[in-house]
Amino acid sequence: MSTTVIPFSRYNEEFSSIQNQIRSTLTTITSALDNNPSDSTIESKMSHANNLLSQAKDLLKQMTIESRSIDDKDIKDECQKVVRVAKGNQANLVEDVKAVQNRVERQALLRGSVDLETGMSTGKNSAVREHLLKTNSTLQSQNSTLDKARRVMAETEDVALEITEELSRNRETIESAHSRVRGVNMLTNQARKVLISMSRRETQQKMIIYGIFVAMFVAVLFLFGFI
């Protein structure tokens, strides 16, 4: 394995491990909400799940950075595919954590609306409870919309960076091709000059030979006429 891929592989392994921990924690919380809503450890477990989610987010950023720094194109493409899958898994986990968080908060509101003396929900508390639940639901919906918008922006940024990198590689390839074409043109021009020079020499040599023949012919005529 290339040394440039080792950090990426380690981040990916740790990311997968944290994702499994998050899923396990969410399963435990959901089971407690279904079977024992008054479990005092639910909120601490929920906090732990959120902390793990934050760690997974940081690892995903590191994986993205490492994948972009790999020089080998094939390995880089493979690592970026892993990053895209990891981002999809992370987005799903974010939604799962929010869903469980909403259940935990809803259960907390329901417990808070119960009258301590009678153990029954009073009319006033019930109205307050419903209002709080509706408000909380609205806020959660708005937060979810904002988070989705942020994810879309992040994904758009990643795609833009990948396109920029690809254009940069294409530009280097084109510049290299232009350089080779310029080299071929230079060689062609040099060859043309050599051919022209050879043609001129050949013409000069022919002229000299013709001149010698003419001189010899005149000399012969002169000798015969003199005799």
Side-chain angles (χ1 to χ4, degrees):
M1 181 181 294
S2 175
T3 55
T4 57
V5 187
I6 292 176
F8 178 86
S9 298
R10 289 176 178 172
Y11 287 135
N12 188 32
E13 290 175 1
E14 189 173 354
F15 177 78
S16 298
S17 175
I18 289 179
Q19 280 195 319
N20 291 333
Q21 293 179 53
I22 294 173
R23 293 189 183 97
S24 177
T25 303
L26 293 180
T27 300
T28 302
I29 295 172
T30 302
S31 178
L33 289 172
D34 292 336
N35 302 311
N36 186 18
S38 60
D39 188 344
S40 60
T41 64
I42 289 179
E43 292 185 2
S44 63
K45 290 176 181 176
M46 194 69 245
S47 178
H48 179 60
N50 281 309
N51 290 335
L52 289 174
L53 191 65
S54 178
Q55 293 178 33
K57 180 181 179 181
D58 292 338
L59 284 171
L60 190 55
K61 289 181 180 179
Q62 292 297 327
M63 288 169 62
T64 303
I65 294 172
E66 289 295 333
S67 67
R68 291 173 181 167
S69 65
I70 296 174
D71 296 327
D72 188 282
K73 185 179 183 301
D74 293 335
I75 298 177
K76 183 174 185 176
D77 291 341
E78 189 65 28
C79 289
Q80 288 182 339
K81 288 179 182 178
V82 173
V83 170
R84 285 193 288 271
V85 172
K87 286 182 177 180
N89 293 336
Q90 177 73 359
N92 291 334
L93 269 183
V94 169
E95 293 299 326
D96 293 342
V97 169
K98 284 183 178 179
V100 176
Q101 180 76 54
N102 289 340
R103 286 195 61 187
V104 171
E105 292 175 356
R106 185 180 184 88
Q107 187 62 39
L109 288 173
L110 290 172
R111 287 200 308 270
S113 66
V114 174
D115 186 88
L116 295 179
E117 293 182 358
T118 63
M120 299 292 291
S121 297
T122 64
K124 181 178 180 180
N125 285 338
S126 180
V128 171
R129 178 197 66 187
E130 291 300 328
H131 176 71
L132 290 174
L133 288 175
K134 289 180 181 179
T135 301
N136 182 67
S137 178
T138 301
L139 290 174
Q140 291 294 339
S141 176
Q142 293 175 351
N143 289 336
S144 178
T145 301
L146 290 174
D147 287 340
K148 289 179 180 178
R150 281 194 291 266
R151 285 200 300 274
V152 170
M153 290 178 63
E155 291 173 359
T156 302
E157 181 182 0
D158 290 340
V159 171
L161 288 173
E162 292 177 5
I163 292 174
T164 300
E165 292 175 357
E166 186 65 27
L167 289 175
S168 178
R169 288 194 293 269
N170 291 340
R171 182 180 62 185
E172 292 174 358
T173 302
I174 293 172
E175 289 178 350
S176 176
H178 284 172
S179 178
R180 288 195 293 271
V181 169
R182 284 195 294 269
V184 171
N185 287 338
M186 290 178 62
L187 291 174
T188 302
N189 291 334
Q190 292 176 357
R192 184 181 295 111
K193 290 179 181 179
V194 170
L195 290 174
I196 292 173
S197 177
M198 291 174 64
S199 177
R200 288 176 179 174
R201 288 198 195 98
E202 183 180 2
T203 301
Q204 290 174 355
Q205 290 173 356
K206 288 180 179 179
M207 293 293 292
I208 291 172
I209 292 172
Y210 291 154
I212 292 173
F213 283 156
V214 170
M216 291 177 64
F217 181 74
V218 171
V220 169
L221 289 176
F222 179 76
L223 288 173
F224 280 113
F226 180 76
I227 292 174

